Amino acid sequence: MKTSPKTSLRFELDGDPSAATLRLAGPVRRDVVAELNTLLERHAPGSGATLTLDLADVEAMDSAAVAAMVTAFRRARDAGGRLVTDPLSEQARRALATFRLGPDPQPKPAPPGLLESTGGTVIGGFQGFVDFLQLAADATFAIFDALRAPRRMRWGALAEQSIDIGSRALGIVGLITFLVGLTVAFQSAHQLRQFGAAIFVADLTAVSMVREMGPLMTAILVAGRSGSSIAAEIATMKVSEEVDALTVMGMEPTRYLAVPRLLAIIMMVPLLTVLADLLGCLGGFLVGVGYLDIAWNAFLNKMLEAIAPWDLISGLIKSVAFAYGIGLIGLFYGFRVRGGASEVGRTTTASVVASIFYIIVADCLFSVLFYIVL
Amino acid sequence: MPEIALSVRGLKAGYGEKVILKDVDLTVETGEIRVILGGSGCGKSTLLKCCIGLLRPMDGEIEMLGQRLDQLDGAERTALLTRIGVLFQYGALLGSITIGENVALPMREHTDLPESVINEMVRLKLAAVELTHAEHLLPSELSGGMRKRAALARALALDPELLFCDEPGAGLDPLTSAELDELLMRLRDRFGMAVVVVTHELLSIERISDKLIYLAEGVPIADGTLDDLKYSGEDEVRAFFARQAAGEMRGPQTALEALAAGG
């Protein structure tokens, strides 16, 4: 098809401003409506004036033309003038008769003011926190229930989730923590060598990996990988009424959906953390042996001496706490979603941000707790 | 204005290896409401998808408003698409913007109309489906039937010459459904718009259809006016209008028949 050349409106304007007549001819379709609208704006009848639209020679009109005329009609009426269409061609009459005049434009509801929106945010945040605690309590009880009655446990779903959260993450968690171990060792090697204390790279890497970086990096990766997928999956189920269907069929969504995911994440994250600890230490070991030229057995011995059982245990305690939080946050955001596709995306992002925020804050609290209080 | 709004010749279509539609011929004239009938899974939706260019036909040709969509691209394809409207089965409104913005979307995208005219056009279209009060609401705040009507308003945004409706009456109460039919007929009368409707609603079929086509397992087995189909030679077509199961109940025997008879 050749796009039709830009047509222009055929019109004639007669009479004085108080009683003008605008005669339109030919097809009045949306390609000329912008022009028609400008014309109608320029000759809008003022108070007491009348603009007559002569549509006798109009061959065709579409809804854009009708809209332009209705807009002009409202504008004239508001200004105290009049706009009438007379006479009409058959086509013009039909087009005007097709559409019903809607009510006057409603103003868009004004966005809430600063005070209202601040209050709304605070109340919403508080309510959200209460809902979160409620979900945490429900889910925790559901886990204990499931453990007490193993027959009702969905073992298949648990295995599926464990594979998803655990084994599929082995590669990325191993690689990242290996690189982190390498980096930590490398950075500290430079500083410690100045004091002739290069051998202490072993202590530093081992302790920081096992107590801190292993659990932390694993948790952040799992939050990005699995926390987001929990939130997105449950949110999609919520939006497509699958969650409602489960409720109505007598299967509590917290039990049916939350328990396998929470149990899987609580079991898998500590296991991933052990891998992270090992590979982080391996990274440090390679720097010690390869870059600092320390005998491998000396470096290894130093590493093993540096780690007390409590270091490992405290790291694993942290990782369980991180896992539980990531799972709950993912579930909470998933269940809370309302609306459509765009909300699913937003809620997934929010869940990852909240998870990582939680991980960092909890890590900080644990560090203080383990070193100072205990 | 072309006399033939839609012409499908020898269409064969399907997904992957699976052929759903075979030898489909269909002609829709301007100012005609054409109803596509058939049982579930007979290929009605596939036919619709082929027509609007969402599914590439394996064979045969589809001409809309004198042009073949599959041979156009770029601006020409867009130009043709602005002349058709599609009402999807579940509305398919964009969830992140209001009803008014949904209706305005094609107008903003494809015309250079001033904002005041677009706003008035949105209200005209919403008034046509009686949804003016919902202009500033989000789709998720509406009921299913209201969403359907809003989707129709969006499909009508650019005064299409050819409108495709996938189950327009599904999920609507009879009153709203009748008003929707009324609206379709009014638009057809006033603007000579051609309408292709996929529907199961007998009441609605009797009200609006000028011509019908009945698909059975991907092949049209009846094509004609309502009376042609009601007195069709095909049992399945007659049964459809008599609201009866075609033939006797087929398929496996019941458990009672099997067990009580002792195997």
Side-chain angles (χ1 to χ4, degrees), chain A residues 1 6 30 33 37 61-64 66-67 70-71 74 94 97-98 100 102-103 105-106 108-109 339 342, chain B residues 67 76 96 111-114 116-117 120-121 123-125 127 130 132 136 140 158-159 186-187 189-191:
Chain A
M1 187 186 87
K6 186 84 182 159
R30 61 172 178 264
V33 163
N37 190 59
M61 254 170 69
D62 66 1
S63 63
V66 176
V70 172
T71 315
R74 289 194 210 277
R94 279 188 187 186
T98 302
R100 267 178 276 182
Q106 303 290 315
K108 258 186 205 171
S342 61
Chain B
Q67 289 176 288
E76 291 181 342
S96 51
T111 71
D112 51 359
L113 296 174
S116 60
V117 175
E120 192 62 57
M121 257 170 102
R123 276 192 300 275
L124 288 180
K125 308 282 159 150
E130 307 207 358
T132 32
H136 300 304
S140 57
L158 292 178
D159 302 321
R186 201 161 69 221
L187 290 165
D189 294 342
R190 300 268 154 78
F191 292 113

Side-chain angles (χ1 to χ4, degrees), chain B residues 70-85:
Chain B
D70 55 345
Q71 290 180 340
L72 302 177
D73 47 47
E76 291 181 342
R77 188 182 165 90
T78 312
L80 180 56
L81 287 174
T82 59
R83 294 166 68 197
I84 68 167

Side-chain angles (χ1 to χ4, degrees), chain B:
Chain B
M1 193 173 275
E3 275 299 298
I4 305 292
L6 172 71
S7 137
V8 177
R9 282 185 297 273
L11 177 70
K12 179 179 162 193
Y15 306 93
E17 292 286 287
K18 204 171 157 209
V19 176
I20 311 271
L21 291 173
K22 283 192 300 282
D23 307 323
V24 179
D25 291 297
L26 171 67
T27 309
V28 182
E29 291 173 8
T30 53
E32 176 180 293
I33 298 185
R34 168 68 84 140
V35 175
I36 302 175
L37 293 175
S40 299
C42 70
K44 300 186 298 281
S45 300
T46 309
L47 177 55
L48 212 62
K49 272 190 191 167
C50 282
C51 292
I52 59 184
L54 292 178
L55 185 68
R56 204 164 257 280
M58 294 169 166
D59 199 13
E61 49 189 62
I62 298 170
E63 216 176 270
M64 276 193 305
L65 307 170
Q67 289 176 288
R68 284 188 56 178
L69 190 64
D70 55 345
Q71 290 180 340
L72 302 177
D73 47 47
E76 291 181 342
R77 188 182 165 90
T78 312
L80 180 56
L81 287 174
T82 59
R83 294 166 68 197
I84 68 167
V86 182
L87 169 59
F88 287 94
Q89 189 168 359
Y90 302 105
L93 294 166
L94 301 187
S96 51
I97 52 178
T98 65
I99 297 300
E101 286 162 340
N102 259 290
V103 179
L105 191 64
M107 306 176 189
R108 295 223 165 90
E109 198 61 34
H110 296 302
T111 71
D112 51 359
L113 296 174
E115 196 59 18
S116 60
V117 175
I118 286 182
N119 289 335
E120 192 62 57
M121 257 170 102
V122 168
R123 276 192 300 275
L124 288 180
K125 308 282 159 150
L126 286 176
V129 295
E130 307 207 358
L131 271 182
T132 32
H133 59 284
E135 187 179 343
H136 300 304
L137 297 180
L138 288 171
S140 57
E141 294 171 297
L142 299 190
S143 74
M146 286 160 87
R147 255 180 258 173
K148 198 69 158 275
R149 284 186 279 151
L152 179 64
R154 187 182 65 178
L156 295 174
L158 292 178
D159 302 321
E161 294 160 53
L162 177 57
L163 176 70
F164 294 93
C165 302
D166 197 357
E167 312 242 353
L172 295 186
D173 63 283
L175 202 65
T176 317
S177 179
E179 279 167 3
L180 216 136
D181 290 345
E182 192 70 28
L183 175 70
L184 286 182
M185 288 191 286
R186 201 161 69 221
L187 290 165
R188 185 260 324 252
D189 294 342
R190 300 268 154 78
F191 292 113
M193 181 173 80
V195 188
V196 177
V197 185
V198 170
T199 182
H200 296 291
E201 315 268 320
L202 274 177
L203 270 176
S204 169
I205 292 166
E206 286 174 355
R207 250 190 324 252
I208 64 173
S209 66
D210 294 316
K211 274 181 143 186
L212 306 94
I213 185 167
Y214 193 102
L215 295 179
E217 289 171 10
V219 184
I221 57 171
D223 185 345
T225 63
L226 188 60
D227 280 345
D228 291 344
L229 264 74
K230 273 185 176 167
Y231 304 105
S232 157
E234 296 279 344
D235 291 343
E236 187 182 334
V237 181
R238 277 204 316 276
F240 182 92
F241 286 97
R243 298 185 202 226
Q244 285 165 351
E248 288 174 354
M249 200 171 113
R250 285 184 292 263
Q253 57 197 147
T254 63
L256 176 69
E257 280 161 1
L259 298 178

Side-chain angles (χ1 to χ4, degrees), chain A residues 4-7 27-35 62, chain B residues 112-113:
Chain A
S4 55
K6 186 84 182 159
T7 41
V28 187
R29 294 228 178 82
R30 61 172 178 264
D31 44 357
V32 298
V33 163
E35 209 182 328
D62 66 1
Chain B
D112 51 359
L113 296 174

